[in-house]
Amino acid sequence: MSLDGYKGPENVGLLMAEKRGYFDDAGLNVWLGAPLVPRNTISYVATRMDELGVAQLPQVAVARENGLPIVALGSVIPRPTAALIWLGNSKIRTVADLEGKTIGTEGIPFQEDLLRIALEDAGLKLEDVEVKFVSNKLVPALLNGGVDAIFGGSANIEGVELESRGAKPVIKPVQSFGVPAYDELVVITREDRAAADPRAMRAFMAAVRRGTAAAIKDPEAAAKLIAKSPETNPTTTRGEIEAQLKKTLPLLSSTGRLDPAQTAGFLDWMQEQGWTQQAMPASEVLADQ
């Protein structure tokens, strides 16, 4: 199973489930790995390299639009956390000041659509900035001056890391630009895999719920687990991990359930924005729960 990036606070429920044997208890043999490039998880699952993965809900909708048999199985973080971030000591005061600047992203295709909306809110077009692919090195790229701002990071992860290093980040969540609610992170699988073994899928999500509850109950153990992993962010300190966890744990889904009404509203909005060409019901994106 490929995660959404480094092993960290946002996927700690899965990490704890693996560490404490909750997947084993459910009769499941689960391996968790961090992809070299976050956007690759969708293709890993679509091509059967992985049975499961963690991705962002808009990625699932775009994948379906492109004919890939991917569905969302359950929720990891049920609300948007993505944001546009720049440094407070820069000459950037408003989004409009990003004209002619370079913005770093993880390279996930739909993120450019979100960024376009943020820029249009300030009277800019996507063509007015340079978008640079920096993969999962958003913070280093911003701190070393490789980019003027980053997009796709969050207040609870990149924001915390920047603050701990003496930077004063300015953080503009996507919701502030009129983006409706959606699940930031979801567990994904192939449609045929979900249909063939729904019991295993439910058992998997039950184990994730146990792992999430364990992390909330024992954040010290969760921080230690992340810090000891060879696939955690190599530039993040133990103190930063603890601070990120403190902000992330309240955001995690305690039930793992996806909201069909929220998903339907977001899919309609995606079509209105031109991200998808045809109407897409929630049932096409969500596995039968």
Side-chain angles (χ1 to χ4, degrees):
M1 175 180 188
S2 290
L3 301 173
D4 55 296
Y6 289 124
K7 291 183 177 179
E10 68 275 24
N11 46 57
V12 71
L14 291 102
L15 302 181
M16 290 289 277
E18 179 186 44
K19 175 66 176 179
R20 298 200 169 179
Y22 300 153
F23 293 130
D24 294 335
D25 292 346
L28 303 172
N29 181 19
V30 178
W31 169 88
L32 302 176
L36 292 176
V37 180
R39 66 186 179 194
N40 286 351
T41 298
I42 288 279
S43 63
Y44 291 160
V45 176
T47 59
R48 302 178 185 270
M49 290 179 63
D50 285 318
E51 294 295 319
L52 298 159
V54 177
Q56 300 178 43
L57 185 69
Q59 285 180 272
V60 181
V62 172
R64 296 292 295 192
E65 175 85 350
N66 292 329
L68 298 181
I70 299 296
V71 290
L73 181 64
S75 180
V76 177
I77 295 182
R79 68 200 77 180
T81 63
L84 178 61
I85 303 173
W86 64 82
L87 299 180
N89 62 359
S90 68
K91 295 182 180 179
I92 301 168
R93 295 292 174 265
T94 68
V95 176
D97 294 330
L98 290 170
E99 184 174 6
K101 305 294 186 183
T102 301
I103 302 175
T105 75
E106 294 175 318
I108 299 173
F110 83 89
Q111 288 181 336
E112 285 199 10
D113 291 306
L114 281 179
L115 178 57
R116 172 177 55 80
I117 290 170
L119 294 172
E120 288 177 350
D121 192 62
L124 299 179
K125 296 179 181 179
L126 196 60
E127 295 75 20
D128 294 326
V129 303
E130 178 184 352
V131 180
K132 184 176 181 180
F133 168 56
V134 298
S135 189
N136 51 15
K137 296 178 174 58
L138 292 173
V139 169
L142 184 58
L143 290 178
N144 67 22
V147 299
D148 301 292
I150 55 176
F151 186 79
S154 62
N156 55 298
I157 302 297
E158 286 78 8
V160 167
E161 191 174 346
L162 288 165
E163 288 171 354
S164 73
R165 299 181 188 197
K168 295 181 178 179
V170 178
I171 302 171
K172 300 289 186 180
V174 292
Q175 301 97 307
S176 66
F177 303 116
V179 178
Y182 65 88
D183 288 79
E184 182 74 25
L185 291 181
V186 294
V187 175
I188 63 170
T189 190
R190 294 186 307 277
E191 187 174 22
D192 60 345
R193 185 70 178 87
D197 200 350
R199 180 177 296 180
M201 300 296 104
R202 288 193 292 269
F204 178 87
M205 289 308 304
V208 174
R209 287 195 297 272
R210 290 183 67 191
T212 301
I216 293 171
K217 184 177 181 179
D218 194 351
E220 183 176 348
K224 182 178 179 180
L225 174 60
I226 294 169
K228 290 180 66 176
S229 171
E231 292 187 296
T232 194
N233 188 335
T235 67
T236 306
T237 67
R238 172 65 182 269
E240 289 169 347
I241 290 171
E242 291 174 351
Q244 290 172 339
L245 264 174
K246 185 176 182 180
K247 285 198 171 184
T248 303
L249 289 176
L251 304 176
L252 300 179
S253 174
S254 60
T255 66
R257 294 194 184 98
L258 291 155
D259 183 346
Q262 174 178 285
T263 300
F266 184 72
L267 293 174
D268 287 345
W269 180 82
M270 286 185 70
Q271 186 187 15
E272 291 170 5
Q273 297 297 320
W275 298 12
T276 54
Q277 299 305 308
Q278 298 181 349
M280 188 179 301
S283 58
E284 187 170 339
V285 172
L286 307 183
D288 185 0
Q289 300 180 79

